mmCIF file of all heavy atoms in Angstrom:
data_model
loop_
_atom_site.group_PDB
_atom_site.id
_atom_site.type_symbol
_atom_site.label_atom_id
_atom_site.label_comp_id
_atom_site.label_asym_id
_atom_site.label_seq_id
_atom_site.Cartn_x
_atom_site.Cartn_y
_atom_site.Cartn_z
ATOM 1 N N LEU A 939 53.626 -6.622 -3.227
ATOM 2 C CA LEU A 939 53.102 -7.926 -3.601
ATOM 3 C C LEU A 939 53.048 -8.073 -5.121
ATOM 4 O O LEU A 939 53.382 -9.125 -5.671
ATOM 5 C CB LEU A 939 51.704 -8.124 -3.014
ATOM 6 C CG LEU A 939 51.636 -8.426 -1.513
ATOM 7 C CD1 LEU A 939 50.184 -8.523 -1.073
ATOM 8 C CD2 LEU A 939 52.370 -9.709 -1.184
ATOM 9 N N VAL A 940 52.623 -7.012 -5.801
ATOM 10 C CA VAL A 940 52.581 -7.056 -7.269
ATOM 11 C C VAL A 940 53.986 -7.224 -7.833
ATOM 12 O O VAL A 940 54.202 -7.985 -8.791
ATOM 13 C CB VAL A 940 51.903 -5.789 -7.822
ATOM 14 C CG1 VAL A 940 52.011 -5.744 -9.342
ATOM 15 C CG2 VAL A 940 50.440 -5.735 -7.401
ATOM 16 N N ASP A 941 54.958 -6.531 -7.230
ATOM 17 C CA ASP A 941 56.361 -6.730 -7.598
ATOM 18 C C ASP A 941 56.729 -8.206 -7.536
ATOM 19 O O ASP A 941 57.356 -8.754 -8.448
ATOM 20 C CB ASP A 941 57.277 -5.946 -6.645
ATOM 21 C CG ASP A 941 57.689 -4.599 -7.207
ATOM 22 O OD1 ASP A 941 57.291 -4.292 -8.353
ATOM 23 O OD2 ASP A 941 58.399 -3.854 -6.517
ATOM 24 N N SER A 942 56.356 -8.850 -6.432
ATOM 25 C CA SER A 942 56.695 -10.263 -6.240
ATOM 26 C C SER A 942 56.043 -11.140 -7.298
ATOM 27 O O SER A 942 56.652 -12.105 -7.778
ATOM 28 C CB SER A 942 56.259 -10.715 -4.840
ATOM 29 O OG SER A 942 56.934 -9.995 -3.838
ATOM 30 N N ILE A 943 54.801 -10.813 -7.659
ATOM 31 C CA ILE A 943 54.103 -11.603 -8.681
ATOM 32 C C ILE A 943 54.827 -11.492 -10.018
ATOM 33 O O ILE A 943 55.089 -12.510 -10.692
ATOM 34 C CB ILE A 943 52.642 -11.145 -8.811
ATOM 35 C CG1 ILE A 943 51.860 -11.480 -7.540
ATOM 36 C CG2 ILE A 943 51.983 -11.799 -10.021
ATOM 37 C CD1 ILE A 943 50.449 -10.935 -7.524
ATOM 38 N N PHE A 944 55.172 -10.258 -10.427
ATOM 39 C CA PHE A 944 55.862 -10.079 -11.700
ATOM 40 C C PHE A 944 57.233 -10.749 -11.688
ATOM 41 O O PHE A 944 57.625 -11.421 -12.648
ATOM 42 C CB PHE A 944 56.013 -8.590 -12.017
ATOM 43 C CG PHE A 944 54.748 -7.933 -12.486
ATOM 44 C CD1 PHE A 944 54.279 -6.783 -11.879
ATOM 45 C CD2 PHE A 944 54.020 -8.466 -13.540
ATOM 46 C CE1 PHE A 944 53.106 -6.173 -12.303
ATOM 47 C CE2 PHE A 944 52.846 -7.868 -13.982
ATOM 48 C CZ PHE A 944 52.392 -6.717 -13.358
ATOM 49 N N ILE A 945 57.980 -10.555 -10.582
ATOM 50 C CA ILE A 945 59.321 -11.133 -10.493
ATOM 51 C C ILE A 945 59.242 -12.658 -10.447
ATOM 52 O O ILE A 945 60.110 -13.363 -10.984
ATOM 53 C CB ILE A 945 60.062 -10.576 -9.259
ATOM 54 C CG1 ILE A 945 60.358 -9.085 -9.471
ATOM 55 C CG2 ILE A 945 61.378 -11.331 -9.012
ATOM 56 C CD1 ILE A 945 60.856 -8.374 -8.230
ATOM 57 N N GLY A 946 58.171 -13.183 -9.812
ATOM 58 C CA GLY A 946 57.994 -14.631 -9.763
ATOM 59 C C GLY A 946 57.864 -15.256 -11.140
ATOM 60 O O GLY A 946 58.238 -16.422 -11.339
ATOM 61 N N GLN A 947 57.376 -14.476 -12.125
ATOM 62 C CA GLN A 947 57.252 -14.992 -13.487
ATOM 63 C C GLN A 947 58.606 -15.079 -14.189
ATOM 64 O O GLN A 947 58.723 -15.729 -15.234
ATOM 65 C CB GLN A 947 56.308 -14.100 -14.305
ATOM 66 C CG GLN A 947 54.939 -13.877 -13.684
ATOM 67 C CD GLN A 947 54.276 -15.148 -13.191
ATOM 68 O OE1 GLN A 947 54.130 -16.104 -13.947
ATOM 69 N NE2 GLN A 947 53.872 -15.168 -11.921
ATOM 70 N N LEU A 948 59.632 -14.440 -13.632
ATOM 71 C CA LEU A 948 60.965 -14.495 -14.229
ATOM 72 C C LEU A 948 61.704 -15.777 -13.873
ATOM 73 O O LEU A 948 62.722 -16.093 -14.477
ATOM 74 C CB LEU A 948 61.797 -13.279 -13.781
ATOM 75 C CG LEU A 948 61.294 -11.900 -14.212
ATOM 76 C CD1 LEU A 948 62.137 -10.804 -13.558
ATOM 77 C CD2 LEU A 948 61.339 -11.765 -15.736
ATOM 78 N N GLY A 949 61.217 -16.499 -12.836
ATOM 79 C CA GLY A 949 61.876 -17.741 -12.452
ATOM 80 C C GLY A 949 62.294 -17.743 -10.992
ATOM 81 O O GLY A 949 62.100 -16.768 -10.252
ATOM 82 N N ARG A 950 62.901 -18.850 -10.586
ATOM 83 C CA ARG A 950 63.250 -19.034 -9.184
ATOM 84 C C ARG A 950 64.432 -18.165 -8.757
ATOM 85 O O ARG A 950 64.433 -17.607 -7.664
ATOM 86 C CB ARG A 950 63.585 -20.515 -8.918
ATOM 87 C CG ARG A 950 63.833 -20.823 -7.464
ATOM 88 C CD ARG A 950 64.018 -22.307 -7.222
ATOM 89 N NE ARG A 950 65.236 -22.810 -7.858
ATOM 90 C CZ ARG A 950 65.625 -24.089 -7.817
ATOM 91 N NH1 ARG A 950 64.869 -24.977 -7.212
ATOM 92 N NH2 ARG A 950 66.739 -24.466 -8.399
ATOM 93 N N ASP A 951 65.461 -18.032 -9.594
ATOM 94 C CA ASP A 951 66.652 -17.282 -9.197
ATOM 95 C C ASP A 951 66.363 -15.798 -8.950
ATOM 96 O O ASP A 951 66.808 -15.242 -7.934
ATOM 97 C CB ASP A 951 67.757 -17.449 -10.239
ATOM 98 C CG ASP A 951 68.426 -18.827 -10.166
ATOM 99 O OD1 ASP A 951 68.121 -19.564 -9.199
ATOM 100 O OD2 ASP A 951 69.221 -19.160 -11.054
ATOM 101 N N PRO A 952 65.635 -15.102 -9.852
ATOM 102 C CA PRO A 952 65.286 -13.705 -9.542
ATOM 103 C C PRO A 952 64.468 -13.582 -8.256
ATOM 104 O O PRO A 952 64.655 -12.633 -7.489
ATOM 105 C CB PRO A 952 64.471 -13.266 -10.755
ATOM 106 C CG PRO A 952 64.947 -14.142 -11.865
ATOM 107 C CD PRO A 952 65.215 -15.467 -11.215
ATOM 108 N N LEU A 953 63.572 -14.538 -8.012
ATOM 109 C CA LEU A 953 62.766 -14.502 -6.796
ATOM 110 C C LEU A 953 63.642 -14.712 -5.559
ATOM 111 O O LEU A 953 63.452 -14.068 -4.522
ATOM 112 C CB LEU A 953 61.693 -15.586 -6.864
ATOM 113 C CG LEU A 953 60.449 -15.405 -5.985
ATOM 114 C CD1 LEU A 953 59.776 -14.070 -6.271
ATOM 115 C CD2 LEU A 953 59.482 -16.554 -6.223
ATOM 116 N N ALA A 954 64.623 -15.601 -5.663
ATOM 117 C CA ALA A 954 65.561 -15.821 -4.551
ATOM 118 C C ALA A 954 66.416 -14.580 -4.314
ATOM 119 O O ALA A 954 66.676 -14.197 -3.170
ATOM 120 C CB ALA A 954 66.441 -17.029 -4.842
ATOM 121 N N ALA A 955 66.869 -13.934 -5.406
ATOM 122 C CA ALA A 955 67.653 -12.700 -5.272
ATOM 123 C C ALA A 955 66.842 -11.623 -4.557
ATOM 124 O O ALA A 955 67.362 -10.879 -3.715
ATOM 125 C CB ALA A 955 68.087 -12.206 -6.656
ATOM 126 N N LEU A 956 65.555 -11.548 -4.885
ATOM 127 C CA LEU A 956 64.666 -10.612 -4.198
ATOM 128 C C LEU A 956 64.543 -10.969 -2.723
ATOM 129 O O LEU A 956 64.547 -10.093 -1.851
ATOM 130 C CB LEU A 956 63.291 -10.632 -4.863
ATOM 131 C CG LEU A 956 62.221 -9.714 -4.265
ATOM 132 C CD1 LEU A 956 62.590 -8.254 -4.488
ATOM 133 C CD2 LEU A 956 60.859 -10.016 -4.880
ATOM 134 N N GLY A 957 64.467 -12.268 -2.416
ATOM 135 C CA GLY A 957 64.346 -12.722 -1.034
ATOM 136 C C GLY A 957 65.534 -12.313 -0.181
ATOM 137 O O GLY A 957 65.382 -11.985 0.998
ATOM 138 N N PHE A 958 66.728 -12.293 -0.788
ATOM 139 C CA PHE A 958 67.921 -11.913 -0.034
ATOM 140 C C PHE A 958 67.984 -10.415 0.255
ATOM 141 O O PHE A 958 68.799 -9.973 1.071
ATOM 142 C CB PHE A 958 69.189 -12.346 -0.787
ATOM 143 C CG PHE A 958 69.531 -13.795 -0.599
ATOM 144 C CD1 PHE A 958 69.423 -14.687 -1.645
ATOM 145 C CD2 PHE A 958 69.949 -14.268 0.631
ATOM 146 C CE1 PHE A 958 69.729 -16.030 -1.480
ATOM 147 C CE2 PHE A 958 70.270 -15.608 0.816
ATOM 148 C CZ PHE A 958 70.157 -16.490 -0.242
ATOM 149 N N THR A 959 67.152 -9.623 -0.419
ATOM 150 C CA THR A 959 67.134 -8.187 -0.130
ATOM 151 C C THR A 959 66.200 -7.841 1.024
ATOM 152 O O THR A 959 66.255 -6.730 1.545
ATOM 153 C CB THR A 959 66.680 -7.370 -1.365
ATOM 154 O OG1 THR A 959 65.311 -7.673 -1.655
ATOM 155 C CG2 THR A 959 67.539 -7.687 -2.575
ATOM 156 N N VAL A 960 65.321 -8.784 1.422
ATOM 157 C CA VAL A 960 64.321 -8.483 2.449
ATOM 158 C C VAL A 960 64.953 -8.017 3.760
ATOM 159 O O VAL A 960 64.546 -6.990 4.325
ATOM 160 C CB VAL A 960 63.394 -9.695 2.681
ATOM 161 C CG1 VAL A 960 62.513 -9.488 3.909
ATOM 162 C CG2 VAL A 960 62.509 -9.924 1.452
ATOM 163 N N PRO A 961 65.989 -8.717 4.301
ATOM 164 C CA PRO A 961 66.601 -8.225 5.549
ATOM 165 C C PRO A 961 67.213 -6.835 5.399
ATOM 166 O O PRO A 961 67.148 -6.017 6.317
ATOM 167 C CB PRO A 961 67.679 -9.275 5.853
ATOM 168 C CG PRO A 961 67.248 -10.493 5.119
ATOM 169 C CD PRO A 961 66.574 -10.003 3.885
ATOM 170 N N MET A 962 67.805 -6.552 4.221
ATOM 171 C CA MET A 962 68.405 -5.236 4.005
ATOM 172 C C MET A 962 67.328 -4.157 3.914
ATOM 173 O O MET A 962 67.495 -3.040 4.406
ATOM 174 C CB MET A 962 69.235 -5.234 2.707
ATOM 175 C CG MET A 962 70.316 -6.300 2.650
ATOM 176 S SD MET A 962 71.472 -6.191 4.035
ATOM 177 C CE MET A 962 70.940 -7.574 5.030
ATOM 178 N N GLN A 963 66.204 -4.520 3.305
ATOM 179 C CA GLN A 963 65.093 -3.575 3.217
ATOM 180 C C GLN A 963 64.565 -3.247 4.607
ATOM 181 O O GLN A 963 64.241 -2.093 4.910
ATOM 182 C CB GLN A 963 63.990 -4.167 2.345
ATOM 183 C CG GLN A 963 62.832 -3.212 2.076
ATOM 184 C CD GLN A 963 61.802 -3.811 1.148
ATOM 185 O OE1 GLN A 963 61.822 -5.009 0.869
ATOM 186 N NE2 GLN A 963 60.892 -2.990 0.657
ATOM 187 N N GLN A 964 64.487 -4.251 5.468
ATOM 188 C CA GLN A 964 64.024 -4.022 6.834
ATOM 189 C C GLN A 964 65.003 -3.143 7.603
ATOM 190 O O GLN A 964 64.601 -2.352 8.458
ATOM 191 C CB GLN A 964 63.819 -5.360 7.541
ATOM 192 C CG GLN A 964 62.638 -6.148 7.020
ATOM 193 C CD GLN A 964 62.479 -7.487 7.706
ATOM 194 O OE1 GLN A 964 63.445 -8.115 8.107
ATOM 195 N NE2 GLN A 964 61.243 -7.937 7.851
ATOM 196 N N LEU A 965 66.285 -3.275 7.305
ATOM 197 C CA LEU A 965 67.299 -2.432 7.939
ATOM 198 C C LEU A 965 67.076 -0.966 7.586
ATOM 199 O O LEU A 965 67.102 -0.082 8.449
ATOM 200 C CB LEU A 965 68.694 -2.888 7.494
ATOM 201 C CG LEU A 965 69.898 -2.210 8.141
ATOM 202 C CD1 LEU A 965 70.009 -2.583 9.611
ATOM 203 C CD2 LEU A 965 71.181 -2.589 7.411
ATOM 204 N N ILE A 966 66.831 -0.708 6.318
ATOM 205 C CA ILE A 966 66.599 0.667 5.859
ATOM 206 C C ILE A 966 65.299 1.213 6.444
ATOM 207 O O ILE A 966 65.226 2.368 6.881
ATOM 208 C CB ILE A 966 66.573 0.702 4.317
ATOM 209 C CG1 ILE A 966 67.932 0.273 3.760
ATOM 210 C CG2 ILE A 966 66.220 2.105 3.811
ATOM 211 C CD1 ILE A 966 67.893 -0.143 2.308
ATOM 212 N N ILE A 967 64.268 0.378 6.462
ATOM 213 C CA ILE A 967 62.991 0.801 7.043
ATOM 214 C C ILE A 967 63.149 1.110 8.526
ATOM 215 O O ILE A 967 62.541 2.045 9.059
ATOM 216 C CB ILE A 967 61.916 -0.285 6.819
ATOM 217 C CG1 ILE A 967 61.561 -0.349 5.333
ATOM 218 C CG2 ILE A 967 60.670 -0.012 7.651
ATOM 219 C CD1 ILE A 967 60.644 -1.494 4.965
ATOM 220 N N GLY A 968 63.996 0.316 9.217
ATOM 221 C CA GLY A 968 64.251 0.576 10.631
ATOM 222 C C GLY A 968 64.821 1.964 10.862
ATOM 223 O O GLY A 968 64.416 2.674 11.797
ATOM 224 N N LEU A 969 65.756 2.381 10.020
ATOM 225 C CA LEU A 969 66.321 3.733 10.109
ATOM 226 C C LEU A 969 65.235 4.777 9.878
ATOM 227 O O LEU A 969 65.109 5.749 10.631
ATOM 228 C CB LEU A 969 67.438 3.885 9.078
ATOM 229 C CG LEU A 969 67.989 5.298 8.864
ATOM 230 C CD1 LEU A 969 68.681 5.803 10.125
ATOM 231 C CD2 LEU A 969 68.940 5.339 7.681
ATOM 232 N N GLN A 970 64.421 4.568 8.852
ATOM 233 C CA GLN A 970 63.370 5.531 8.528
ATOM 234 C C GLN A 970 62.375 5.681 9.671
ATOM 235 O O GLN A 970 62.039 6.799 10.075
ATOM 236 C CB GLN A 970 62.623 5.064 7.275
ATOM 237 C CG GLN A 970 63.430 5.054 6.010
ATOM 238 C CD GLN A 970 62.673 4.451 4.844
ATOM 239 O OE1 GLN A 970 63.242 4.096 3.825
ATOM 240 N NE2 GLN A 970 61.374 4.319 4.985
ATOM 241 N N VAL A 971 61.903 4.544 10.183
ATOM 242 C CA VAL A 971 60.861 4.588 11.210
ATOM 243 C C VAL A 971 61.402 5.150 12.515
ATOM 244 O O VAL A 971 60.723 5.922 13.211
ATOM 245 C CB VAL A 971 60.266 3.175 11.429
ATOM 246 C CG1 VAL A 971 59.282 3.174 12.590
ATOM 247 C CG2 VAL A 971 59.583 2.692 10.160
ATOM 248 N N GLY A 972 62.644 4.790 12.872
ATOM 249 C CA GLY A 972 63.238 5.330 14.089
ATOM 250 C C GLY A 972 63.319 6.844 14.057
ATOM 251 O O GLY A 972 62.961 7.529 15.026
ATOM 252 N N LEU A 973 63.775 7.378 12.929
ATOM 253 C CA LEU A 973 63.842 8.833 12.796
ATOM 254 C C LEU A 973 62.438 9.427 12.708
ATOM 255 O O LEU A 973 62.185 10.530 13.217
ATOM 256 C CB LEU A 973 64.648 9.208 11.555
ATOM 257 C CG LEU A 973 64.926 10.696 11.337
ATOM 258 C CD1 LEU A 973 65.590 11.323 12.558
ATOM 259 C CD2 LEU A 973 65.790 10.908 10.096
#
């Protein structure tokens, strides 16, 4: 959440770029949790 707050101060485009990583992050977490 703190990451999001700091990145949000950089503007809309960095925040959108972060948003597009969320599904990929969940994919990696899925591998971790399954194992």
Side-chain angles (χ1 to χ4, degrees):
L939 285 177
V940 173
D941 263 358
S942 298
I943 293 174
F944 284 127
I945 292 169
Q947 306 313 306
L948 297 174
R950 185 174 66 181
D951 285 352
L953 202 56
L956 180 67
F958 279 111
T959 66
V960 170
M962 304 303 105
Q963 185 177 12
Q964 290 178 328
L965 185 68
I966 297 162
I967 290 173
L969 170 65
Q970 294 174 196
V971 174
L973 185 54

